[in-house]
Amino acid sequence: MNTYFITETEQRRRKRAVLVMTVLSVLIILSVIISMNTGFIRLAPLDVFKTLLGSGTAKQELILFDFRLPRIVISILIGAGFAVSGCIIQGLSRNPLSDPGLLGINAGAGLAVILFISFYPTTEKGSIFLMPFLALIGASFTALLIFVLSYKRHRGLLPTRMILVGIAVAAGISAAMQLLILRLTPEKYQFFAVWMAGSIWGTNWKYVLALLPWLIVIFPIVQYKSKALNALNLGDQLAVGLGAQVNKERALLLAAAVGLAGSCVAVGGGIGFVGLIAPHLARRLVGPQHQVLLPASAFVGALLVIVADTLARWAFQPNEIPTGIVVAVIGAPYFLYLLSRSK
């Protein structure tokens, strides 16, 4: 009877997960269609369809293939990357209020990028592909520092201490970034200000090629380690009892989270709250099992960023606001809501 009950429960969870993924996929497709039709120069749905089939004018092909589609793809990739990174960090810290931005990982990646901008011409060929590697170094150093300061030998990783340490480290890095900003030229300062606000404006297919390999490599590894993440989410003692190699699995998953966050920050800038909101919403939709929570978080994060970017282009036409600001407008109230309900 118990086996039958467990089987029935598992089947219901799987059906619910499939339904949720299907609905999210449809919403993402609809958002992509709306986004392709949104902008200062409006393209009618029929014109978009003709252009996709190769029957559009040269102007329509330029707008769609060189400006809007790369931006849409980047929005989806960044949203998915930040969301999965946040999901991993929440699982490792056992705290639903954790995310790469709050823990200072994004700030560490940003510090590496501003150092790069300070000493390297951002317009030179190849700089786009160097930025994810440098952001990864900055994010990795920050994550290692936070981990060392948050870990107690006989008590393991302390979730509350981890958040407090992350906030303190992020504040220190932000102060260092402000000092570095003072030596930037006006051109580089404008580039950095737009980048730090989380703007996807000006992205092209080079940005897609710079980010996509990171996600292609890391996503399958994280999904393969989803059961280990389930065990670590129960605490170190229970994880050891279940046969998990705690230190090895934690190091690998933390490295994956840092890689995702660092590469996304390098391309999309300071887009915050995605790693916090998306996993939390996904957890409510599909439950806490990371086998389905990780892909659901990726879908929710992709949907959140592409909707925010579409609103950023539409709300104040002909001008536009950074996507990160729209995400913050959505995410800040939700974060306060989560904070008010946390014990």
Side-chain angles (χ1 to χ4, degrees), residues 3 17 19 22 27 36 54 58 62 67 92 100 104 134 143 145 171 176-177 205 207 214 220 241 274 277 318:
T3 304
L19 177 61
T22 303
L27 291 176
M36 287 191 294
L62 178 67
F67 294 106
L92 292 177
L134 295 174
L145 179 62
M177 291 171 66
W205 292 111
Y207 288 87
W214 294 81
V274 178
I277 299 173

Side-chain angles (χ1 to χ4, degrees), residues 104-112 138 141-142 145 168-178:
I105 295 175
N106 290 0
L111 179 61
F141 177 78
T142 305
L145 179 62
V169 170
I173 292 176
S174 297
M177 291 171 66
Q178 294 298 323

Side-chain angles (χ1 to χ4, degrees), residues 42-334:
R42 180 170 176 77
L43 294 179
L46 183 60
D47 293 333
V48 171
F49 182 72
K50 289 181 179 179
T51 305
L52 290 174
L53 294 178
S55 301
T57 64
K59 180 180 179 181
Q60 291 171 341
E61 290 181 356
L62 178 67
I63 294 171
L64 187 61
F65 291 115
D66 291 350
F67 294 106
R68 292 188 184 172
L69 278 179
R71 184 166 178 168
I72 290 170
V73 174
I74 282 292
S75 299
I76 293 173
L77 296 179
I78 287 177
F82 274 131
V84 173
S85 178
C87 186
I88 296 170
I89 291 175
Q90 289 179 10
L92 292 177
S93 65
R94 305 191 299 278
N95 192 322
L97 298 181
S98 302
D99 88 315
L102 292 176
L103 293 182
I105 295 175
N106 290 0
L111 179 61
V113 171
I114 193 174
L115 286 171
F116 171 71
I117 293 172
S118 301
F119 299 101
Y120 193 89
T122 57
T123 55
E124 281 194 14
K125 185 177 180 180
S127 63
I128 294 174
F129 298 95
L130 282 174
M131 286 172 64
F133 288 98
L134 295 174
L136 177 62
I137 294 173
S140 300
F141 177 78
T142 305
L144 180 61
L145 179 62
I146 294 170
F147 180 83
V148 170
L149 295 176
S150 305
Y151 189 82
K152 290 293 184 181
R153 183 174 181 180
H154 299 292
R155 299 176 61 188
L157 190 65
L158 303 178
T160 303
R161 184 181 178 91
M162 186 176 180
I163 292 180
L164 294 176
V165 170
I167 293 174
V169 170
I173 292 176
S174 297
M177 291 171 66
Q178 294 298 323
L179 292 175
L180 289 171
I181 287 174
L182 297 177
R183 68 179 305 276
L184 295 179
T185 63
E187 179 184 2
K188 289 184 177 181
Y189 174 79
Q190 183 178 9
F191 172 84
F192 178 76
V194 173
W195 173 84
M196 198 60 194
S199 177
I200 310 178
W201 180 85
T203 51
N204 53 48
W205 292 111
K206 289 183 179 179
Y207 288 87
V208 176
L209 293 176
L211 178 59
L212 188 60
W214 294 81
L215 273 61
I216 290 177
V217 172
I218 296 177
F219 275 1
I221 296 175
V222 173
Q223 188 64 36
Y224 177 72
K225 291 294 183 179
S226 58
K227 292 183 179 179
L229 189 55
N230 288 336
L232 292 174
N233 195 32
L234 298 174
D236 290 359
Q237 293 182 350
L238 286 176
V240 171
L242 293 173
Q245 298 179 1
V246 173
N247 293 329
K248 179 181 178 181
E249 300 292 358
R250 180 184 285 116
L252 177 61
L253 287 166
L254 186 60
V258 170
L260 289 172
S263 57
C264 290
V265 168
V267 174
I271 299 179
F273 291 108
V274 178
L276 170 68
I277 299 173
H280 198 273
L281 290 175
R283 192 176 291 107
R284 290 192 168 193
L285 292 173
V286 300
Q289 296 297 317
H290 286 87
Q291 291 93 325
V292 292
L293 179 58
L294 287 166
S297 298
F299 277 60
V300 174
L303 179 62
L304 176 62
V305 175
I306 193 173
V307 169
D309 185 58
T310 304
L311 291 174
R313 286 187 283 135
W314 169 80
F316 296 98
Q317 290 184 5
N319 300 316
E320 67 176 65
I321 57 178
T323 304
I325 294 178
V326 179
V327 175
V329 169
I330 299 172
Y334 191 74

